[in-house]
Amino acid sequence: MTPDPLLRVDRLTTVFDTARGALPAVDAVSFEIRAGETLGLVGESGSGKSVTALSIMRLVQPPGRIATGRVIFKGRDLLTLGEREMQRVRGAEISLIFQEPMTALNPVFRIGDQIAETLVVHGRATKRDARAKAIDLLRSVRIPHPESRVADYPHQLSGGMRQRVMIAIALSCQPSLVIADEPTTALDVTIQAEILDLLREMKSALGLSLLLITHDFGVVAETADRVAVMYAGRIVETGPVRAIFRSPAHPYTRGLLASMPGGRPGERLRAIEGSVPLIGELPPGCAFTPRCPNRFEPCPTAPPPDYPAGIGHEAKCYLHDPHMTALQSAAHPQSAVRSPQSPDAAR
Amino acid sequence: MTPTIRTAMGVGAVYAIVLGAALLSPYDPATQHRDRPLAPPTRVHVVDRDGRVHLRPFVYADDESGPTYPVRFFAHEVDEDGSIGSRRLLAVDPPAHIFLAGTDELGRDQFSRLLYGGRISLGAGVLAGALALTIGLLLGCVAGFFGGWIDAAVMAASDLFMALPWLYLLLAIRAALPLDVSPGRALASVVIVIGIAGWARPARLIRSVVLSARTRDYVTAAAASGASRARLMLAHVLPEAFSVALTQASILVPQYTLAEITLSFFGLGVGEPTPSWGTMINAMLRQELSAAHWWLAAPAAALVVVSLLYHAAADALHQRSQVLPAGAWR
């Protein structure tokens, strides 16, 4: 029996109320993060990754709202907490790192004050010693000359330094979970690597868990222990990072991996046909059906449940239903579970 | 010197002048020089009729044939009966007078009344503007920040207040209040009536600023690090609304000054003998007075100058708010 996970998201559904009704941006999403683990949440733009992050923090703004589900953090359901209790969780126990460090820092406050704000709000420092602690934090995220940088405004820092400041703020109260929403997307490739190194290092130094949201499988491969792949508001596959890369179980994951550079030079990248359906115009069954090269009879009828695809590896795909496999191989003899699109075959 | 500072100094100078009325005015605003009704502005000379240049400016008492009376600076005012009054910036000995802007039909010094009346009229504008902006800032922030039914209720109320013909409303409300009240209470009631009638416009403007400010990443980021709603509003949203509020203030204060003048003009503001620019301008209604005595238009001219100063200040503030918060307007 494994110990209780640090965070267990259970059938979380976040909807946006529109004129056409409540549209689910996050649709019955479930996953777990254990202490000290990094979960990579991967998906295209608009797949619901960021809304998932905001839902865990209970920061979804109207017209969005959390409809159903549970977010069990350290044994408590965050969705049942009062606003004041939730404020004590935010920043102190779970903190959030944003994609765009320029807009996530208030342009009119000095960075030292913005670090101090979190410390003071959570009673981790008095106004008097907050400055010294802010300098320590800046030093720990390896900002040069922290004593003078502490008085800088965000516009005086480079993109990478701003993201370091964001990380310093996120780690200031030593949270047990950090949610990093595309932390490197807005940065240069060399800076990306530095920031990822820093995140990994801080993670092991502080023993925290990381929910890393990204659209970049390269980042996931370097950083994550486990991966959850999101498509149109649903998690379609979860598994250990090795298993996902070695033997992706969902045709969408296979398609994503096949569309990444990494094969032989000169080889064409295979893009996934079609485009992501709009929320509210999802097909009735598996949302990937219209683009799926392996679709067969049951796919458009009902959304598939999770099927085991290995140790700790699950996929929402009828290809992995033992009862369906016979039917499927009869219909498409060439494309069995181990499809030729698997990047393993290409490597 | 930036335009903001320059215009702020201009506006500040006007307030400094009216606040210094006790020293700067040569006479008590209520003193009636019964022998000098509707006297034109006193000429201040430096060269006498013999062509001699005086170091100290002087005036003549009645006509330019009589003796000269030097203008004494920071001296005590002396009455016709020889009694010594308070210290004034400008004073001349009786029987001469120094009426810089002439006198009204009761022989009261227009210049002194202009300064004291400015206290009432400009002060009412500032107080009413502060009241309307405070209400507007509060309701606008609450509506924009909390949204939902609170927003709907505040905006419905502001629709109602904006649809009301506020000038007639002011007249009606002020007319319904008792007329024979002390100047202080009359001023307070004018300020409250104007402030309550005027909150809707700033409230709507500030709401729209708050609506866009609260969706900024840094507000979400502050929320994500555990800041309370009050803190989000005060530390991260309000500063952005504040520059708009300041620009609004420079537009609303002259408007409300005008509102006080309008009420006083109709006799619904602060009553005589306390001067207000409105009651002073009222004298011009009587054509037999205004046609021949141009100096009675002094308060109107002062109003134009103050309005222009405020307009320039509003313009400078607006320009400034367009460039100031780098990155915040992306």
Side-chain angles (χ1 to χ4, degrees), chain A residues 278-310:
Chain A
L278 293 174
I279 289 169
E281 292 171 13
L282 295 184
C286 168
F288 192 57
T289 308
R291 305 171 74 187
C292 183
N294 306 101
R295 61 176 175 269
F296 62 122
E297 286 78 6
C299 298
T301 55
D306 281 315
Y307 292 108

mmCIF file of all heavy atoms in Angstrom, chain A residues 278-310:
data_model
loop_
_atom_site.group_PDB
_atom_site.id
_atom_site.type_symbol
_atom_site.label_atom_id
_atom_site.label_comp_id
_atom_site.label_asym_id
_atom_site.label_seq_id
_atom_site.Cartn_x
_atom_site.Cartn_y
_atom_site.Cartn_z
ATOM 1 N N LEU A 278 -13.278 22.645 -30.485
ATOM 2 C CA LEU A 278 -13.646 23.682 -29.530
ATOM 3 C C LEU A 278 -14.415 23.047 -28.376
ATOM 4 O O LEU A 278 -15.202 22.125 -28.590
ATOM 5 C CB LEU A 278 -14.540 24.728 -30.201
ATOM 6 C CG LEU A 278 -13.879 25.566 -31.277
ATOM 7 C CD1 LEU A 278 -14.921 26.438 -31.950
ATOM 8 C CD2 LEU A 278 -12.795 26.430 -30.664
ATOM 9 N N ILE A 279 -14.167 23.576 -27.170
ATOM 10 C CA ILE A 279 -14.957 23.100 -26.038
ATOM 11 C C ILE A 279 -16.402 23.505 -26.309
ATOM 12 O O ILE A 279 -16.683 24.631 -26.695
ATOM 13 C CB ILE A 279 -14.431 23.749 -24.744
ATOM 14 C CG1 ILE A 279 -13.084 23.157 -24.426
ATOM 15 C CG2 ILE A 279 -15.390 23.532 -23.603
ATOM 16 C CD1 ILE A 279 -12.344 23.862 -23.342
ATOM 17 N N GLY A 280 -17.301 22.589 -26.113
ATOM 18 C CA GLY A 280 -18.694 22.853 -26.461
ATOM 19 C C GLY A 280 -19.060 22.227 -27.786
ATOM 20 O O GLY A 280 -20.230 22.087 -28.114
ATOM 21 N N GLU A 281 -18.030 21.857 -28.558
ATOM 22 C CA GLU A 281 -18.308 21.144 -29.808
ATOM 23 C C GLU A 281 -17.567 19.820 -29.801
ATOM 24 O O GLU A 281 -17.123 19.324 -30.842
ATOM 25 C CB GLU A 281 -17.870 21.989 -31.011
ATOM 26 C CG GLU A 281 -18.725 23.230 -31.177
ATOM 27 C CD GLU A 281 -18.177 24.185 -32.233
ATOM 28 O OE1 GLU A 281 -17.292 23.777 -33.002
ATOM 29 O OE2 GLU A 281 -18.649 25.322 -32.271
ATOM 30 N N LEU A 282 -17.389 19.294 -28.606
ATOM 31 C CA LEU A 282 -16.674 18.026 -28.497
ATOM 32 C C LEU A 282 -17.542 16.913 -29.066
ATOM 33 O O LEU A 282 -18.756 16.900 -28.871
ATOM 34 C CB LEU A 282 -16.356 17.717 -27.037
ATOM 35 C CG LEU A 282 -15.392 18.656 -26.326
ATOM 36 C CD1 LEU A 282 -15.117 18.159 -24.925
ATOM 37 C CD2 LEU A 282 -14.093 18.778 -27.093
ATOM 38 N N PRO A 283 -16.913 15.949 -29.747
ATOM 39 C CA PRO A 283 -17.685 14.794 -30.193
ATOM 40 C C PRO A 283 -18.163 13.996 -28.976
ATOM 41 O O PRO A 283 -17.561 14.096 -27.903
ATOM 42 C CB PRO A 283 -16.687 14.012 -31.046
ATOM 43 C CG PRO A 283 -15.355 14.523 -30.678
ATOM 44 C CD PRO A 283 -15.527 15.917 -30.175
ATOM 45 N N PRO A 284 -19.225 13.252 -29.112
ATOM 46 C CA PRO A 284 -19.821 12.594 -27.952
ATOM 47 C C PRO A 284 -18.913 11.562 -27.277
ATOM 48 O O PRO A 284 -18.902 11.471 -26.062
ATOM 49 C CB PRO A 284 -21.078 11.926 -28.524
ATOM 50 C CG PRO A 284 -20.860 11.862 -29.994
ATOM 51 C CD PRO A 284 -19.995 13.032 -30.339
ATOM 52 N N GLY A 285 -18.159 10.838 -28.019
ATOM 53 C CA GLY A 285 -17.336 9.795 -27.402
ATOM 54 C C GLY A 285 -15.998 10.321 -26.979
ATOM 55 O O GLY A 285 -15.892 11.344 -26.297
ATOM 56 N N CYS A 286 -14.922 9.630 -27.373
ATOM 57 C CA CYS A 286 -13.567 10.098 -27.131
ATOM 58 C C CYS A 286 -13.357 11.362 -27.954
ATOM 59 O O CYS A 286 -13.649 11.382 -29.162
ATOM 60 C CB CYS A 286 -12.570 9.015 -27.530
ATOM 61 S SG CYS A 286 -10.864 9.590 -27.601
ATOM 62 N N ALA A 287 -12.858 12.448 -27.296
ATOM 63 C CA ALA A 287 -12.737 13.738 -27.992
ATOM 64 C C ALA A 287 -11.728 13.697 -29.125
ATOM 65 O O ALA A 287 -11.738 14.542 -30.016
ATOM 66 C CB ALA A 287 -12.341 14.820 -26.987
ATOM 67 N N PHE A 288 -10.856 12.678 -29.125
ATOM 68 C CA PHE A 288 -9.814 12.610 -30.148
ATOM 69 C C PHE A 288 -10.282 11.857 -31.391
ATOM 70 O O PHE A 288 -9.573 11.845 -32.404
ATOM 71 C CB PHE A 288 -8.564 11.936 -29.543
ATOM 72 C CG PHE A 288 -7.331 12.051 -30.392
ATOM 73 C CD1 PHE A 288 -6.844 13.296 -30.778
ATOM 74 C CD2 PHE A 288 -6.643 10.921 -30.816
ATOM 75 C CE1 PHE A 288 -5.697 13.415 -31.557
ATOM 76 C CE2 PHE A 288 -5.503 11.031 -31.604
ATOM 77 C CZ PHE A 288 -5.030 12.283 -31.974
ATOM 78 N N THR A 289 -11.475 11.251 -31.321
ATOM 79 C CA THR A 289 -11.962 10.389 -32.408
ATOM 80 C C THR A 289 -11.753 10.974 -33.810
ATOM 81 O O THR A 289 -11.195 10.294 -34.675
ATOM 82 C CB THR A 289 -13.441 10.038 -32.188
ATOM 83 O OG1 THR A 289 -13.587 9.520 -30.876
ATOM 84 C CG2 THR A 289 -13.928 9.018 -33.209
ATOM 85 N N PRO A 290 -12.182 12.243 -34.070
ATOM 86 C CA PRO A 290 -12.108 12.717 -35.461
ATOM 87 C C PRO A 290 -10.681 12.761 -36.012
ATOM 88 O O PRO A 290 -10.490 12.735 -37.218
ATOM 89 C CB PRO A 290 -12.688 14.129 -35.380
ATOM 90 C CG PRO A 290 -13.443 14.184 -34.121
ATOM 91 C CD PRO A 290 -12.792 13.228 -33.183
ATOM 92 N N ARG A 291 -9.671 12.863 -35.116
ATOM 93 C CA ARG A 291 -8.292 12.987 -35.583
ATOM 94 C C ARG A 291 -7.518 11.685 -35.430
ATOM 95 O O ARG A 291 -6.336 11.632 -35.739
ATOM 96 C CB ARG A 291 -7.575 14.078 -34.761
ATOM 97 C CG ARG A 291 -8.284 15.399 -34.770
ATOM 98 C CD ARG A 291 -7.662 16.364 -33.785
ATOM 99 N NE ARG A 291 -6.376 16.888 -34.254
ATOM 100 C CZ ARG A 291 -5.579 17.649 -33.514
ATOM 101 N NH1 ARG A 291 -5.916 17.923 -32.261
ATOM 102 N NH2 ARG A 291 -4.449 18.091 -34.013
ATOM 103 N N CYS A 292 -8.190 10.657 -34.906
ATOM 104 C CA CYS A 292 -7.460 9.467 -34.492
ATOM 105 C C CYS A 292 -7.253 8.516 -35.663
ATOM 106 O O CYS A 292 -8.208 8.153 -36.351
ATOM 107 C CB CYS A 292 -8.220 8.761 -33.374
ATOM 108 S SG CYS A 292 -7.359 7.327 -32.733
ATOM 109 N N PRO A 293 -6.026 8.097 -35.910
ATOM 110 C CA PRO A 293 -5.778 7.148 -36.991
ATOM 111 C C PRO A 293 -6.253 5.739 -36.643
ATOM 112 O O PRO A 293 -6.395 4.904 -37.529
ATOM 113 C CB PRO A 293 -4.264 7.184 -37.165
ATOM 114 C CG PRO A 293 -3.740 7.601 -35.838
ATOM 115 C CD PRO A 293 -4.780 8.496 -35.230
ATOM 116 N N ASN A 294 -6.496 5.452 -35.335
ATOM 117 C CA ASN A 294 -6.841 4.101 -34.914
ATOM 118 C C ASN A 294 -8.310 3.979 -34.521
ATOM 119 O O ASN A 294 -8.700 3.044 -33.857
ATOM 120 C CB ASN A 294 -5.984 3.702 -33.707
ATOM 121 C CG ASN A 294 -4.508 3.862 -33.984
ATOM 122 O OD1 ASN A 294 -3.913 4.839 -33.560
ATOM 123 N ND2 ASN A 294 -3.946 2.941 -34.736
ATOM 124 N N ARG A 295 -9.134 4.965 -34.899
ATOM 125 C CA ARG A 295 -10.515 4.932 -34.391
ATOM 126 C C ARG A 295 -11.256 3.713 -34.937
ATOM 127 O O ARG A 295 -10.999 3.258 -36.057
ATOM 128 C CB ARG A 295 -11.237 6.218 -34.762
ATOM 129 C CG ARG A 295 -11.356 6.487 -36.243
ATOM 130 C CD ARG A 295 -12.178 7.734 -36.510
ATOM 131 N NE ARG A 295 -12.179 8.045 -37.939
ATOM 132 C CZ ARG A 295 -11.299 8.846 -38.527
ATOM 133 N NH1 ARG A 295 -10.351 9.440 -37.816
ATOM 134 N NH2 ARG A 295 -11.360 9.046 -39.833
ATOM 135 N N PHE A 296 -12.147 3.203 -34.106
ATOM 136 C CA PHE A 296 -13.000 2.101 -34.544
ATOM 137 C C PHE A 296 -14.356 2.223 -33.869
ATOM 138 O O PHE A 296 -14.638 3.250 -33.224
ATOM 139 C CB PHE A 296 -12.315 0.753 -34.344
ATOM 140 C CG PHE A 296 -11.982 0.392 -32.908
ATOM 141 C CD1 PHE A 296 -12.499 -0.773 -32.357
ATOM 142 C CD2 PHE A 296 -11.134 1.169 -32.142
ATOM 143 C CE1 PHE A 296 -12.197 -1.121 -31.056
ATOM 144 C CE2 PHE A 296 -10.823 0.816 -30.850
ATOM 145 C CZ PHE A 296 -11.359 -0.335 -30.295
ATOM 146 N N GLU A 297 -15.167 1.179 -33.986
ATOM 147 C CA GLU A 297 -16.595 1.320 -33.674
ATOM 148 C C GLU A 297 -16.924 1.998 -32.338
ATOM 149 O O GLU A 297 -17.747 2.903 -32.304
ATOM 150 C CB GLU A 297 -17.304 -0.049 -33.741
ATOM 151 C CG GLU A 297 -17.530 -0.563 -35.129
ATOM 152 C CD GLU A 297 -16.274 -1.151 -35.760
ATOM 153 O OE1 GLU A 297 -15.256 -1.261 -35.047
ATOM 154 O OE2 GLU A 297 -16.288 -1.467 -36.946
ATOM 155 N N PRO A 298 -16.334 1.591 -31.187
ATOM 156 C CA PRO A 298 -16.835 2.151 -29.916
ATOM 157 C C PRO A 298 -16.443 3.606 -29.701
ATOM 158 O O PRO A 298 -17.062 4.291 -28.868
ATOM 159 C CB PRO A 298 -16.174 1.264 -28.854
ATOM 160 C CG PRO A 298 -14.966 0.718 -29.519
ATOM 161 C CD PRO A 298 -15.312 0.566 -30.976
ATOM 162 N N CYS A 299 -15.436 4.117 -30.429
ATOM 163 C CA CYS A 299 -14.878 5.441 -30.105
ATOM 164 C C CYS A 299 -15.897 6.567 -30.063
ATOM 165 O O CYS A 299 -15.915 7.352 -29.111
ATOM 166 C CB CYS A 299 -13.750 5.788 -31.077
ATOM 167 S SG CYS A 299 -12.383 4.642 -30.965
ATOM 168 N N PRO A 300 -16.789 6.751 -31.072
ATOM 169 C CA PRO A 300 -17.701 7.889 -31.024
ATOM 170 C C PRO A 300 -18.891 7.705 -30.091
ATOM 171 O O PRO A 300 -19.680 8.626 -29.910
ATOM 172 C CB PRO A 300 -18.178 8.028 -32.472
ATOM 173 C CG PRO A 300 -17.526 6.941 -33.253
ATOM 174 C CD PRO A 300 -16.968 5.952 -32.299
ATOM 175 N N THR A 301 -19.031 6.526 -29.479
ATOM 176 C CA THR A 301 -20.264 6.268 -28.720
ATOM 177 C C THR A 301 -20.226 6.847 -27.319
ATOM 178 O O THR A 301 -21.140 7.560 -26.908
ATOM 179 C CB THR A 301 -20.533 4.764 -28.643
ATOM 180 O OG1 THR A 301 -19.369 4.135 -28.093
ATOM 181 C CG2 THR A 301 -20.814 4.188 -30.021
ATOM 182 N N ALA A 302 -19.153 6.576 -26.565
ATOM 183 C CA ALA A 302 -19.080 7.057 -25.186
ATOM 184 C C ALA A 302 -17.619 7.328 -24.857
ATOM 185 O O ALA A 302 -16.731 6.664 -25.403
ATOM 186 C CB ALA A 302 -19.654 6.006 -24.234
ATOM 187 N N PRO A 303 -17.328 8.316 -23.966
ATOM 188 C CA PRO A 303 -15.933 8.549 -23.593
ATOM 189 C C PRO A 303 -15.357 7.300 -22.934
ATOM 190 O O PRO A 303 -16.003 6.722 -22.061
ATOM 191 C CB PRO A 303 -16.014 9.702 -22.591
ATOM 192 C CG PRO A 303 -17.357 10.289 -22.761
ATOM 193 C CD PRO A 303 -18.251 9.210 -23.270
ATOM 194 N N PRO A 304 -14.185 6.866 -23.351
ATOM 195 C CA PRO A 304 -13.619 5.649 -22.781
ATOM 196 C C PRO A 304 -13.174 5.863 -21.341
ATOM 197 O O PRO A 304 -12.727 6.955 -20.988
ATOM 198 C CB PRO A 304 -12.420 5.366 -23.691
ATOM 199 C CG PRO A 304 -12.077 6.671 -24.292
ATOM 200 C CD PRO A 304 -13.343 7.447 -24.403
ATOM 201 N N PRO A 305 -13.280 4.857 -20.487
ATOM 202 C CA PRO A 305 -12.720 4.941 -19.131
ATOM 203 C C PRO A 305 -11.221 4.685 -19.192
ATOM 204 O O PRO A 305 -10.660 4.474 -20.272
ATOM 205 C CB PRO A 305 -13.446 3.817 -18.394
ATOM 206 C CG PRO A 305 -13.746 2.813 -19.454
ATOM 207 C CD PRO A 305 -13.943 3.574 -20.740
ATOM 208 N N ASP A 306 -10.571 4.727 -18.011
ATOM 209 C CA ASP A 306 -9.136 4.417 -17.973
ATOM 210 C C ASP A 306 -8.924 2.923 -18.109
ATOM 211 O O ASP A 306 -9.575 2.135 -17.415
ATOM 212 C CB ASP A 306 -8.548 4.889 -16.632
ATOM 213 C CG ASP A 306 -8.291 6.373 -16.642
ATOM 214 O OD1 ASP A 306 -7.745 6.873 -17.638
ATOM 215 O OD2 ASP A 306 -8.649 7.038 -15.645
ATOM 216 N N TYR A 307 -8.039 2.559 -19.008
ATOM 217 C CA TYR A 307 -7.652 1.144 -19.135
ATOM 218 C C TYR A 307 -6.196 1.030 -18.758
ATOM 219 O O TYR A 307 -5.377 1.898 -19.115
ATOM 220 C CB TYR A 307 -7.840 0.659 -20.573
ATOM 221 C CG TYR A 307 -9.285 0.585 -20.993
ATOM 222 C CD1 TYR A 307 -9.804 1.499 -21.886
ATOM 223 C CD2 TYR A 307 -10.113 -0.433 -20.492
ATOM 224 C CE1 TYR A 307 -11.134 1.437 -22.272
ATOM 225 C CE2 TYR A 307 -11.441 -0.506 -20.884
ATOM 226 C CZ TYR A 307 -11.940 0.428 -21.774
ATOM 227 O OH TYR A 307 -13.254 0.361 -22.154
ATOM 228 N N PRO A 308 -5.813 -0.015 -18.035
ATOM 229 C CA PRO A 308 -4.396 -0.187 -17.719
ATOM 230 C C PRO A 308 -3.600 -0.464 -18.982
ATOM 231 O O PRO A 308 -4.066 -1.161 -19.880
ATOM 232 C CB PRO A 308 -4.378 -1.391 -16.764
ATOM 233 C CG PRO A 308 -5.676 -2.070 -16.949
ATOM 234 C CD PRO A 308 -6.660 -1.062 -17.454
ATOM 235 N N ALA A 309 -2.419 0.159 -19.062
ATOM 236 C CA ALA A 309 -1.556 -0.046 -20.219
ATOM 237 C C ALA A 309 -0.137 -0.370 -19.775
ATOM 238 O O ALA A 309 0.804 -0.206 -20.527
ATOM 239 C CB ALA A 309 -1.575 1.186 -21.109
ATOM 240 N N GLY A 310 0.012 -0.780 -18.524
ATOM 241 C CA GLY A 310 1.332 -1.076 -17.997
ATOM 242 C C GLY A 310 1.320 -0.780 -16.506
ATOM 243 O O GLY A 310 0.276 -0.443 -15.942
#
